[in-house]
Amino acid sequence: MSELRWDQLRREWVVTATHRMDRTFLPPRDYCPLCPTAPGGFETEIERTDFEIAVFENRFPSFHLDPPEPAIKGTPLFPVSAASGVCEVVVYTPQHNGCLADLSLAQMRLLVRVWRDRYNELSARPEIKYVFIFENRGSEVGVTLHHPHGQIYAFTYLPPVPGRELQAAAAYREENKEGCLFCSVVIGEQQDKRRVVLRNDSFIAFVPFAARYPYEVHLYSLEHRPSLADLNDREMDDLAAILQSLVRCYDNLFGKPFPYIMVVHQEPAKERNGLGHLHFEFYPPLRDSAKLKYLAGCEQGAGTFINDSLPEEKAAELRKAAKVV
Amino acid sequence: LPQEQTIKKEITEKKDGRYLIFYSWAEEEFHGEKESGSEPCQS
C-alpha cells in the first residue's frame, strides 16, 4: 500500500508506503542486490557481470509510475492522493566495498553527468514537478544497503524544504530588484571567508552561517546556475572534483567513514524561471568522532535546531582535514 | 572550453518490467585520473 496523506496542520504531504517495511535490510555480502550478478550466483538487481554506473527503478518505491489505489478514501478534512512519482536507485560502482569518496575522478565525473541526465529525463515527464537527488551514507542515517549508491525521487509536487528556499528566493528577488538570494549568500561567504572549506574555479563549499549540524556543509556553483542542466563540461568536472575533495575530507576528519545525508537542491522541473540555484547540502549526524546529533524535542517539536558548536570553528577543522587528504 | 564529453546510455528492461539503465563514458580519453581540482580555503 502506498498513498499521500495531507497533514492539514503542517500543510505538507506524508507518504505511507507499507511495502517498504519488507525491503532488503543489511543483507550479507553475497546477497547484495546492488552488486553485478555473478555467473551462477544470486540474481541481483543488475544482471551483468560488470558496469560503470547503473540506474534502475526502486523495487520498494515510495512513489510509483502506476500508483496503487489509496488504502483509505480521503475527505475534505483528511485529503488523500495517489503516491505518483518515480523512485530510482543510482549504483555508483560495481565494487561492493567503498563509498563515494573511493570513486576515481573519472567515475565521479560520470556520476555528475548521470545525475544531470536523470534530472533532464525525469523533469520532462508531464506529472513531475521536482527531481530530488540524494544519498544516505552510513547506518547512523538508516542505510539498509552498504553498496555505494544514491537515490532519486521525482515528486509530483514541490516538497517543502526546497519549496521554502524558493519562496525565500522569490521574496528576495522582489525586494532586491532581480537579485538572487543564493548568489548573495555565496558572495557573502566568500567575503567573510571564515566558514569556507573548499573552493575551485566553479564551486565553493562552506559551513553555512546558520548551520544546524556541526559539520553541515553546503556546496554552491559560484556562477548562477539554476540546475545541473545549466552546467557546462568544465563546471561538471569542477563539481566532481570538489565533491570528491569534500567527501574525502569528511572521511579524513576522524580517520573513519563519515556518515552523512547528501541532498541536491535545484530548479523545479516545470518552473524554469531562474529562481533556483544549484547546490548540495550535507547533513552529517556526528557532532564529534563518537557522538551523534539527535533530532530531539526542540528540533522535532519546535522546529528549532540547537547546534552545540560554532560554524566558524567547525569550518576550520574541516579545512585542516582537507589539507591532509 | 574542453571538448564536449559524452556519455553512453543503454536502456534495458528487467524481467519484472522495471527499467535498468547503464551509463559509461563514450570516449576512452576521458577516463584519465586527476588528483584534485579543489583547494582548501586559506583563510
Side-chain angles (χ1 to χ4, degrees):
Chain A
M1 287 298 173
S2 192
E3 70 214 11
L4 297 176
R5 295 186 179 208
W6 181 249
D7 181 332
Q8 290 280 18
L9 302 181
R10 294 195 178 204
R11 301 192 63 75
E12 63 190 29
W13 290 108
V14 173
V15 184
T16 62
T18 56
H19 57 286
R20 285 179 56 76
M21 191 65 86
D22 300 323
R23 69 187 187 274
T24 312
F25 182 78
L26 299 176
R29 165 74 182 81
D30 290 345
Y31 290 90
C32 171
L34 306 185
C35 279
T37 301
F42 162 70
E43 192 175 292
T44 73
E45 290 278 19
I46 303 167
E47 294 177 59
R48 287 215 175 159
T49 53
D50 200 15
F51 62 91
E52 290 187 45
I53 292 180
V55 175
F56 60 87
E57 289 178 80
N58 197 320
R59 186 178 160 208
F60 301 97
S62 302
F63 303 110
H64 307 254
L65 281 166
D66 185 17
E69 279 293 309
I72 193 167
K73 190 171 162 38
T75 70
L77 184 60
F78 301 120
V80 173
S81 180
S84 297
V86 185
C87 292
E88 293 184 341
V89 177
V90 182
V91 185
Y92 299 160
T93 167
Q95 304 299 321
H96 179 78
N97 294 317
C99 58
L100 190 61
D102 293 329
L103 298 187
S104 68
L105 197 52
Q107 191 77 349
M108 193 73 96
R109 289 171 173 169
L110 179 61
L111 178 60
V112 169
R113 285 157 177 83
V114 169
W115 285 333
R116 182 164 88 150
D117 185 72
R118 301 319 302 151
Y119 173 79
N120 285 334
E121 188 170 316
L122 293 168
S123 292
R125 289 179 181 264
E127 72 276 28
I128 296 306
K129 301 273 175 45
Y130 197 82
V131 177
F132 182 62
I133 298 165
F134 66 101
E135 180 193 341
N136 301 324
R137 186 201 182 190
S139 49
E140 295 88 343
V141 296
V143 162
T144 55
L145 298 173
H146 285 308
H147 192 115
H149 73 287
Q151 300 184 62
I152 301 175
Y153 279 15
F155 287 81
T156 55
Y157 59 91
L158 178 60
V161 173
R164 279 179 68 179
E165 285 185 357
L166 292 164
Q167 271 184 347
Y172 188 87
R173 180 185 274 186
E174 181 86 14
E175 292 160 9
N176 294 276
K177 296 178 183 164
E178 302 303 312
C180 168
L181 173 60
F182 303 104
C183 286
S184 295
V185 168
V186 167
I187 291 166
E189 292 292 356
Q190 286 184 95
Q191 288 171 342
D192 188 286
K193 295 188 176 131
R194 286 175 294 177
R195 291 174 296 278
V196 177
V197 178
L198 292 162
R199 68 175 153 225
N200 61 22
D201 289 343
S202 311
F203 286 86
I204 184 168
F206 53 85
V207 179
F209 176 74
R212 295 169 304 152
Y213 298 89
Y215 296 103
E216 182 172 346
V217 168
H218 293 186
L219 170 58
Y220 274 76
S221 59
L222 289 169
E223 296 292 324
H224 184 71
R225 300 286 182 259
S227 73
L228 287 162
D230 301 298
L231 299 182
N232 62 39
D233 265 332
R234 183 184 298 277
E235 289 167 334
M236 283 191 283
D237 288 349
D238 283 345
L239 173 56
I242 199 167
L243 266 174
Q244 186 190 61
S245 298
L246 179 59
V247 290
R248 288 182 176 180
C249 158
Y250 270 153
D251 281 355
N252 195 50
L253 184 66
F254 298 132
K256 64 177 188 179
F258 191 84
Y260 58 73
I261 295 167
M262 177 192 79
V263 307
V264 183
H265 288 168
Q266 51 189 327
E267 195 160 62
K270 300 294 181 294
E271 294 169 44
R272 299 286 179 97
N273 53 14
L275 202 55
H277 186 130
L278 172 68
H279 63 281
F280 288 60
E281 298 187 358
F282 285 79
Y283 317 135
L286 290 180
R287 59 189 172 93
D288 70 20
S289 64
K291 297 191 194 83
L292 287 171
K293 159 72 184 167
Y294 289 100
L295 302 193
C298 200
E299 288 86 359
Q300 298 270 25
T304 293
F305 272 68
I306 298 169
N307 183 346
D308 303 342
S309 64
L310 281 178
E312 293 75 20
E313 291 178 1
K314 293 299 161 186
E317 279 182 46
L318 288 167
R319 280 196 299 273
K320 194 173 167 194
K323 280 177 184 161
V324 289
V325 166
Chain B
L1 290 178
Q3 184 186 348
E4 176 87 2
Q5 298 177 20
T6 54
I7 57 173
K8 272 196 302 191
K9 178 178 176 184
E10 183 187 350
I11 303 171
T12 67
E13 189 174 311
K14 293 168 63 66
K15 288 174 191 160
D16 60 9
R18 288 179 292 144
Y19 57 79
L20 167 61
I21 307 170
F22 294 99
Y23 288 91
S24 58
W25 284 112
E27 301 292 337
E28 193 66 28
E29 63 192 278
F30 299 119
H31 286 245
E33 180 73 338
K34 191 172 87 173
E35 274 310 303
S36 175
S38 310
E39 294 299 327
C41 181
Q42 299 302 315
S43 62

